[in-house]
Amino acid sequence: MKNTIWFYAYQLIKNANNALVGLNNTQTLTPAVKDQLTGEAKFIRAFAYFYLVNLYGDVPMPLTGDADYMTNASLSRTDSKLVWTQIISDLKDAQSLLPAAYVGTFKARINKWAATTLLARAYLYNQDWANAESQASQVINSAVYSLQTPANTFINTSPEIIWQVANLTGVSAFGANYLASAGVIPTYSMYDTLYNSFEPVDLRKSNWAGVSNIGGKNYYFVNKYKVRAGTGNEYNIMLRYAELYLIRAEARLQQNNLKDGKTDLEVIRTRAGLGALNASLNQSQLLLAVEQERKLSCLVNGDIAGLI
């Protein structure tokens, strides 16, 4: 698994670097198309490095194309601080180059708000609370997205989706891998402790988690995506609007803005059918509440590291 993650991340980086070399040299594309493609390539490169630096720390950081493949193949690891600097730089470039409107259908192409979302997350992970709050607020205030009921969050037309990877069948990799077949022990089970950490009335528990009883034993599984095979209306969701509220909540709480941080947190809880948090909670307790919401919202790889 670790080799697979490493290999495919660097394949994405190689493709993005080659695209950027070609785009820099092109004399035929219109400025609008060139900006769109350059922004997408920089986003993809930042996206890949985001997961590499979070999983491995210091990593090799090639930024040139195939002409330098022998040099790139033997690069030493780059300090993680410099990798983060490159991620943020690429995302700021993508943010300035990409249009706010989506190109094509089903939010499968990256737009300005996708770049802004990942930039907000990058700032949060680097404890740059003010910038994390500012970038998250831009997406929240864009009037492009809206939270959906848990039952409708993961269909491919959901207004909550910021970016998803489309496919031909409408069956997501997450549905195919995580949904349990009838009468069969799930390939990937959810820990009992995670399932039981939902409040009983939490709508995410009834909509995003399932249970199979096999031989008198309960096996819990992820049930966010509903289509396991055939054809459906689900793609692989990579960025979701709900994450922005959790990013902003944490950033505000870390800046000791307890009132607004709690308000953001309660937006997510309200969607889940839960009540308001106790008004007497202190900063540490509210940060633990953010951690809990992230755990319950991100119990499948469809919200990789975020979300989402």
Side-chain angles (χ1 to χ4, degrees), residues 16-228:
N17 286 340
N18 287 336
L20 289 168
V21 170
L23 288 163
N24 186 59
N25 294 330
T26 185
Q27 301 296 319
T28 58
L29 296 177
T30 66
V33 171
K34 183 176 178 179
D35 284 352
Q36 170 82 30
L37 296 176
T38 300
E40 289 177 339
K42 290 202 169 191
F43 175 94
I44 291 297
R45 184 167 70 182
F47 184 80
Y49 278 128
F50 177 90
Y51 289 102
L52 285 170
V53 77
N54 275 288
L55 288 168
Y56 303 107
D58 299 348
V59 292
M61 191 172 68
L63 298 173
T64 55
D66 277 344
D68 299 316
Y69 75 95
M70 289 300 293
T71 300
N72 288 345
S74 58
L75 286 175
S76 59
R77 292 176 184 258
T78 298
D79 186 281
S80 60
K81 292 180 181 178
L82 296 177
V83 180
W84 277 115
T85 297
Q86 184 63 46
I87 290 168
I88 290 170
S89 175
D90 276 347
L91 289 173
K92 289 170 74 173
D93 287 347
Q95 186 184 51
S96 68
L97 291 167
L98 291 165
Y102 284 95
V103 175
T105 57
F106 289 113
K107 299 176 183 175
R109 296 281 294 274
I110 299 148
N111 71 343
K112 171 185 176 179
W113 302 122
T116 307
T117 297
L118 191 55
L119 183 58
R121 190 196 291 174
Y123 279 133
L124 186 81
Y125 280 39
N126 282 272
Q127 300 183 16
D128 185 342
W129 313 123
N131 273 320
E133 178 184 0
S134 173
Q135 297 299 322
S137 292
Q138 288 186 45
V139 185
I140 290 169
N141 297 333
S142 68
V144 175
Y145 310 99
S146 59
L147 295 177
Q148 301 300 295
T149 62
N152 295 320
T153 297
F154 293 92
I155 60 174
N156 57 17
T157 55
S158 168
E160 189 168 332
I161 295 167
I162 295 175
W163 175 45
Q164 60 189 345
V165 178
N167 57 59
L168 295 176
T169 63
V171 179
S172 75
F174 309 116
N177 287 322
Y178 289 100
L179 285 176
S181 299
V184 178
I185 295 174
T187 304
Y188 300 99
S189 295
M190 184 190 307
Y191 283 116
D192 294 11
T193 51
L194 175 56
Y195 182 81
N196 292 325
S197 67
F198 285 98
E199 295 179 42
V201 297
D202 194 325
L203 295 175
R204 294 169 299 190
K205 183 175 186 177
S206 54
N207 284 279
W208 295 357
V211 56
S212 290
N213 188 281
I214 310 295
K217 175 178 173 57
N218 284 335
Y219 294 90
Y220 303 104
F221 60 91
V222 173
N223 194 36
K224 287 181 173 181
Y225 296 84
K226 310 299 183 186
V227 185
R228 190 174 187 276

